[in-house]
Amino acid sequence: MSRLVAQPQHIVVIGNGMVGFKFCEKLVAKAQPGTFQITVFGEEPRPAYDRVHLSAYFSGTTAEELTMAPVEWYAQNNINLHLGELVTSVDATTQTITTHKGESISYDKLILATGSSAFVPPINGVEKEGVFVYRTIEDLDAMLEYAPKARTAAVIGGGLLGLEAAKAAVDMGLTTHVIEFASRLMPRQLDEAGSEMLKRKLESLGISIYLNKSTTAILGEPGVEKMLFADGSELNVDMIIVSAGIKPRDELAIKAGLAVGPRGGIMVNDNLQTSDANIYAIGESALHGGMIYGLVAPGYDMADTVVTNLLGGEKTFKGFDMSTKLKLIGVDVASFGDAFASPATSRSIVFEDKAKGIYKRINISEDGKYLVGGILVGDAGNYNMLLQTVQNKIILPQDPEDLILGSRGGASESAGAGVMSLPDEALICSCENVSKGDICSSVTDGTCTDVAGIKKCTKAGTGCGGCVPMVNDLLNATLKQMGKEVKKVLCEHFDYSRQELLDLVKVNNIRSYDELLHSHGRGDGCEVCKPAVASIMASTWNELILKQATIQDTNDRYLANIQKGGTYSVVPRIAGGEITPEKLIVIGQVAAKYGLYTKITGGQRIDMFGARVDQLPDIWEELINAGFESGHAYGKSLRTVKSCVGSTWCRYGLHDSVGFAIQVEERYRGLRSPHKLKGGVSGCVRECAEAQSKDFGIIATEKGWNLYICGNGGAKPQHAQLFATDLDTETCIKYLDRFLMFYIKTAEPLNRTATWLNKMEGGMEYLRQVIVEDSLGICADLDREMQFMVDTYACEWKEVVNNPELRQRFQHFINTPEPDPSIRFKPERGQKVPVV
């Protein structure tokens, strides 16, 4: 007697993008072996890759590194993968599909994960050579091949995808223009004020933004030469990237007779079934509730919904929160909840700092109890917690503005108990549907001890990556609750704090980022660890910062601060604010020769603006020949030591504050640190040098000098605290040496001295014990290490000027030494200013 054996259901997946892959991954993870037979068809010649981070391809990430899983993964999971094979038809009646190779395969359930294609507006000339879309790796390869022939690029589209494409153009070294049809950038995420702030930030990076601009024609033969607009204006460009939105790939569904929306998209119900119950649609091709979701997280949730139902469970897709956070060309942008909440039903609190390019708006319910949404530009550090506050309907503190301004004491000091106050069901990773409870459990049960382990175990943070900071906070808070030591590691690529890495670099004589990553890290590094390690190298070895050029911030790469319009500023050191008439004349001559805008800075020196990158070595050569040196206005290092005129001229002055300021500034010039450093020396208690608002301030007394430390101005000003009184000059410098070196060795990245002290257990009293009483027994080392930095100082610009190979780096285009023709100026008050 024979026994019937159940045949596995045949699941055919059309589309091998991120969502199609995620469907397969979830199905093989949850189904019993032998339950399903899976066949996948992908049009592209390579397996699914990470489109969310596609722009990383232009900064060195390879196609293999972007791949979601290699071909071997499909074979190991018994998935029959067909790459480079196009499905041309679906017969819903016979439940078969046919490919362009003539192959026909039957299915029990069909999953349409066909995704979307780039929407290309019907513009005359859009088919010309030099016009690209930004969608696949092949698109990117074509752009990279064409870019050496181009100098300028225009991106059609100022939305999320368009600005990603703009970053690609910038990374290719092209002068970049963004053309947006609407009246603001990212119109689905930002309001007018947020868009304006983002526009200013991008313009300050040299990207030209055009709003309310409709492209009518693209001219040129055979390639692109010019764009024409509906308002009669025109723009000369060599290359165009169309990134104006997406168009759902629904052609197969239409051909098969499935219902589609009037503006495209395969219509689905809450189970993600199409008008044929055996056919599902997920991702960007699916139209649910009249909505096409262009983000990866809803697509992953759709995949999970279909998998759950195929396995006999019950799950429905009820729409998805479109909150998002991303970094566009180095600028944080986020919107969450109801970002555009109506004034009729809510109240808004807005913080705007135009100097720093920060805009924050939160919308709270009419009764003031709940947060309903918001927008962040320039600083999105609070995004995850704000999003959780919305999603979990957490009662707001008495002063809800603290959510974006930070607690400033008073009744709401304890407002918000941090991530551990969230309920266990709070969704932390929306891409992978991972809750706070899932993450904390993976730690408490001993499975995971670091972020990398949590990623591997729960998948949290493996999608867009936006939740990783909160995952890290949950890890640390959970470990602390368990009574375990919490290490503040630099990032997921290094299991060490900045202080530990500095020690490793020194003890092991490590001289490069790659060497450190290879010996003590993992992965490829990130925007957090690369500049931090560059700073560590500089603080340890005091070598030319350009030796680490590829991991530096832009300002350090060109030893100058980039300004609006894409030009740079030149700031020679004027120690203590003292300068001779002869040197003043040289600055005037150089500024006149190169047509630079000049201004006296708050740090008592002269800033020259408007220099092209190719002019910088020539300008500096003339300044160095006249006895100037780099002012390090571009670096995380000592900037200035401000002084009053002191006893030499002032009838109230007690000591020579100018001479002491020069001595101090020349001692610490070029000293690299976790953040910028500023100092001041005042000749009496009238404090004309404003020394108490600096990282270190020295004020003359009848008996010597009072030393103040850990103050700063800026967005969160903090007065420096009195450290020691009536010091002689030698002792004052000795304490300063130890204070600065202890700060450099122990502070976290980008913490100014005030923040560093605020976090220090024991505060100022502990610091006095370390520096004055040598409680840790390290003062001899601190003294020696500071003297090494003083003895090995060299002017960075002098080294560049005298090194032909380094001078070659200072050019705008990678393929020609010619200057950027798009830089323009206009006259204002007798000088030039940028036209942006």
Side-chain angles (χ1 to χ4, degrees):
M1 180 178 176
S2 62
R3 190 175 61 179
L4 291 176
V5 177
Q7 293 296 312
Q9 277 196 320
H10 189 195
I11 308 294
V12 172
V13 183
I14 302 178
N16 187 223
M18 293 180 74
V19 173
F21 166 77
K22 187 58 62 177
F23 170 83
C24 295
E25 186 186 56
K26 288 179 179 290
L27 189 58
V28 297
K30 294 182 177 182
Q32 293 294 323
T35 309
F36 298 104
Q37 176 192 351
I38 305 172
T39 302
V40 177
F41 290 91
E43 290 178 16
E44 294 186 56
R46 64 186 82 247
Y49 50 88
D50 183 358
R51 289 186 207 275
V52 174
H53 298 102
L54 205 55
S55 61
Y57 194 64
F58 290 94
S59 53
T61 301
T62 65
E64 288 70 29
E65 289 167 338
L66 288 171
T67 301
M68 307 288 288
V71 171
E72 292 75 20
W73 178 88
Y74 295 86
Q76 290 164 1
N77 289 285
N78 296 316
I79 297 173
N80 188 13
L81 177 64
H82 297 252
L83 293 177
E85 190 163 356
L86 177 69
V87 175
T88 54
S89 65
V90 174
D91 188 331
T93 305
T94 60
Q95 296 188 204
T96 57
I97 63 99
T98 303
T99 75
H100 80 286
K101 294 181 178 177
E103 185 177 3
S104 290
I105 294 177
S106 62
Y107 63 84
D108 294 305
K109 302 293 181 185
L110 179 66
I111 313 299
L112 297 176
T114 45
S116 63
S117 58
F119 168 68
V120 180
I123 301 171
N124 290 330
V126 77
E127 75 289 347
K128 288 185 182 299
E129 181 182 323
V131 180
F132 301 88
V133 295
Y134 186 82
R135 192 67 185 158
T136 67
I137 285 180
E138 282 66 35
D139 295 332
L140 272 53
D141 284 336
M143 289 163 59
L144 285 169
E145 185 179 351
Y146 194 85
K149 296 184 288 187
R151 295 183 181 178
T152 61
V155 176
I156 298 179
L160 193 154
L161 293 174
L163 296 182
E164 282 285 335
K167 180 182 186 308
V170 171
D171 287 342
M172 289 189 289
L174 303 174
T175 299
T176 305
H177 307 270
V178 173
I179 316 297
E180 170 56 42
F181 179 79
S183 62
R184 63 181 193 267
L185 294 172
M186 297 183 68
R188 295 185 68 174
Q189 289 87 17
L190 301 181
D191 59 10
E192 289 286 349
S195 167
E196 180 60 25
M197 191 65 75
L198 178 60
K199 178 172 177 284
R200 288 181 186 176
K201 292 279 284 186
L202 297 180
E203 287 174 338
S204 72
L205 298 173
I207 299 173
S208 300
I209 308 290
Y210 305 86
L211 302 176
N212 297 306
K213 215 71 164 172
S214 175
T215 308
T216 55
I218 297 170
L219 305 181
E221 287 298 338
V224 171
E225 295 175 4
K226 182 182 294 186
M227 300 174 75
L228 300 183
F229 302 108
D231 60 6
S233 60
E234 56 187 48
L235 178 68
N236 293 328
V237 294
D238 306 315
M239 180 174 169
I240 294 173
I241 305 170
V242 180
S243 192
I246 60 172
K247 181 181 177 185
R249 293 284 304 274
D250 56 10
E251 62 271 18
L252 263 181
I254 294 172
K255 197 173 174 183
L258 301 178
V260 298
R263 300 179 62 183
I266 307 166
M267 296 180 68
V268 293
N269 59 21
D270 289 351
N271 291 322
L272 286 318
Q273 290 168 305
T274 66
S275 51
D276 184 304
N278 291 318
I279 302 177
Y280 296 79
I282 56 177
E284 294 174 348
S285 62
L287 178 68
H288 177 269
M291 180 92 173
I292 296 286
Y293 291 90
L295 299 177
V296 69
Y300 282 6
D301 194 42
M302 289 178 176
D304 189 68
T305 300
V306 175
V307 167
T308 301
N309 288 314
L310 289 177
L311 291 171
E314 291 185 6
K315 182 178 179 182
T316 55
F317 182 82
K318 293 290 188 182
F320 205 87
D321 179 59
M322 293 294 283
S323 300
T324 187
K325 172 195 169 189
L326 62 161
K327 189 178 279 290
L328 293 167
I329 319 177
V331 182
D332 277 343
V333 178
S335 70
F336 56 94
D338 188 354
F340 306 102
S342 167
T345 58
S346 68
R347 293 178 284 157
S348 296
I349 299 174
V350 174
F351 169 77
E352 192 174 38
D353 184 340
K354 291 182 179 177
K356 291 182 177 294
I358 295 173
Y359 173 79
K360 298 181 179 183
R361 166 184 168 175
I362 55 173
N363 307 316
I364 60 178
S365 59
E366 205 168 12
D367 59 9
K369 291 183 177 178
Y370 303 104
L371 182 65
V372 297
I375 294 169
L376 305 170
V377 176
D379 177 7
N382 296 332
Y383 167 77
N384 283 309
M385 199 61 209
L386 291 171
L387 177 61
Q388 294 299 329
T389 303
V390 172
Q391 292 181 337
N392 294 287
K393 291 189 175 299
I394 295 173
I395 297 292
L396 290 175
Q398 181 178 339
D399 299 313
E401 64 270 22
D402 287 355
L403 294 174
I404 52 176
L405 298 177
S407 177
R408 289 148 294 142
S412 62
E413 180 67 46
S414 62
V419 292
M420 296 310 282
S421 66
L422 297 173
D424 281 350
E425 58 271 17
L427 192 62
I428 304 301
C429 177
S430 53
C431 293
E432 292 288 346
N433 196 30
V434 184
S435 69
K436 174 202 165 191
D438 296 331
I439 293 168
C440 293
S441 297
S442 72
V443 179
T444 54
D445 67 12
T447 305
C448 304
T449 56
D450 56 21
V451 171
I454 293 174
K455 279 183 166 184
K456 187 175 181 181
C457 174
T458 68
K459 295 285 184 184
T462 59
C464 70
C467 64
V468 171
M470 183 162 274
V471 171
N472 190 54
D473 288 344
L474 284 169
L475 168 68
N476 290 338
T478 306
L479 288 173
K480 198 170 182 179
Q481 280 189 347
M482 295 166 67
K484 293 189 175 182
E485 180 186 1
V486 177
K487 285 184 64 176
K488 291 188 175 179
V489 300
L490 189 63
C491 69
E492 62 182 287
H493 301 103
F494 291 99
D495 290 331
Y496 302 96
S497 66
R498 180 185 179 279
Q499 182 178 353
E500 290 170 330
L501 283 175
L502 191 146
D503 290 337
L504 286 170
V505 165
K506 189 167 187 178
V507 170
N508 296 293
N509 193 29
I510 295 173
R511 299 283 177 155
S512 73
Y513 174 82
D514 288 343
E515 190 181 351
L516 182 65
L517 185 68
H518 178 71
S519 58
H520 295 90
R522 59 176 171 269
D524 302 309
C526 64
E527 61 188 23
V528 173
C529 61
K530 288 181 177 178
V533 170
S535 172
I536 288 171
M537 294 287 177
S539 295
T540 306
W541 305 122
N542 212 18
E543 294 177 335
L544 181 64
I545 195 75
L546 291 184
K547 280 193 171 183
Q548 308 289 335
T550 56
I551 59 172
Q552 289 295 302
D553 289 333
T554 300
N555 289 342
D556 272 332
R557 287 186 184 186
Y558 295 116
L559 303 180
N561 282 335
I562 190 169
Q563 307 292 338
K564 269 187 177 179
T567 59
Y568 291 82
S569 63
V570 175
V571 191
R573 183 168 304 286
I574 301 177
E578 182 182 81
I579 186 168
T580 64
E582 290 76 17
K583 282 191 170 180
L584 272 176
I585 290 171
V586 170
I587 286 181
Q589 289 172 334
V590 168
K593 179 178 178 179
Y594 293 93
L596 305 178
Y597 171 95
T598 55
K599 188 179 186 308
I600 308 295
T601 73
Q604 296 183 334
R605 50 190 181 179
I606 300 171
D607 206 337
M608 291 176 273
F609 295 86
R612 301 192 312 262
V613 67
D614 58 292
Q615 292 178 318
L616 292 173
D618 294 336
I619 291 172
W620 273 105
E621 184 171 14
E622 296 191 30
L623 291 171
I624 286 169
N625 288 340
F628 286 103
E629 61 182 10
S630 172
H632 290 92
Y634 46 84
K636 298 292 184 287
S637 57
L638 179 75
R639 298 287 176 83
T640 64
V641 179
K642 191 174 181 178
S643 72
C644 65
V645 294
S647 59
T648 308
W649 293 93
C650 177
R651 56 198 172 95
Y652 299 110
L654 297 173
H655 305 306
D656 178 14
S657 54
V658 177
F660 199 14
I662 293 172
Q663 181 183 356
V664 171
E665 182 162 347
E666 291 187 342
R667 182 170 182 79
Y668 303 124
R669 59 189 168 177
L671 182 67
R672 295 282 174 166
S673 49
H675 210 302
K676 62 185 176 185
L677 291 167
K678 293 183 178 181
V681 181
S682 285
C684 72
V685 293
R686 289 170 180 79
E687 253 284 69
C688 293
E690 300 166 326
Q692 292 179 80
S693 64
K694 310 297 185 186
D695 295 280
F696 59 87
I698 302 167
I699 300 176
T701 69
E702 294 286 349
K703 299 178 181 177
W705 304 96
N706 283 350
L707 176 59
Y708 294 79
I709 59 173
C710 300
N712 63 241
K716 295 181 179 178
Q718 187 168 319
H719 259 128
Q721 298 182 36
L722 182 61
F723 178 78
T725 59
D726 299 328
L727 302 172
D728 59 51
T729 302
E730 184 180 349
T731 305
C732 187
I733 288 180
K734 180 173 69 176
Y735 287 170
L736 264 179
D737 281 0
R738 294 174 180 176
F739 157 65
L740 292 173
M741 192 50 71
F742 190 51
Y743 161 67
I744 288 169
K745 289 169 71 75
T746 61
E748 295 171 32
L750 300 179
N751 274 192
R752 288 198 69 172
T753 55
T755 306
W756 170 67
L757 180 64
N758 294 341
K759 293 180 177 179
M760 187 180 293
E761 290 190 18
M764 184 60 77
E765 186 53 38
Y766 171 77
L767 199 52
R768 283 196 192 94
Q769 291 172 9
V770 173
I771 292 171
V772 179
E773 300 172 17
D774 198 12
S775 61
L776 300 180
I778 61 172
C779 283
D781 289 337
L782 297 177
D783 294 342
R784 185 175 57 254
E785 287 163 348
M786 180 58 80
Q787 194 58 49
F788 170 80
M789 305 305 285
V790 173
D791 293 341
T792 55
Y793 164 78
C795 172
E796 292 171 340
W797 265 113
K798 188 174 183 180
E799 295 202 29
V800 171
V801 164
N802 294 320
N803 186 323
E805 185 180 341
L806 290 176
R807 289 184 76 135
Q808 287 296 318
R809 294 186 188 178
F810 290 80
Q811 58 184 42
H812 188 85
F813 299 107
I814 58 175
N815 55 344
T816 172
E818 293 186 21
D820 180 0
S822 68
I823 294 176
R824 294 179 296 140
F825 300 96
K826 63 181 180 181
E828 190 170 292
R829 297 185 295 278
Q831 298 199 76
K832 72 175 186 182
V833 295
V835 176
V836 293

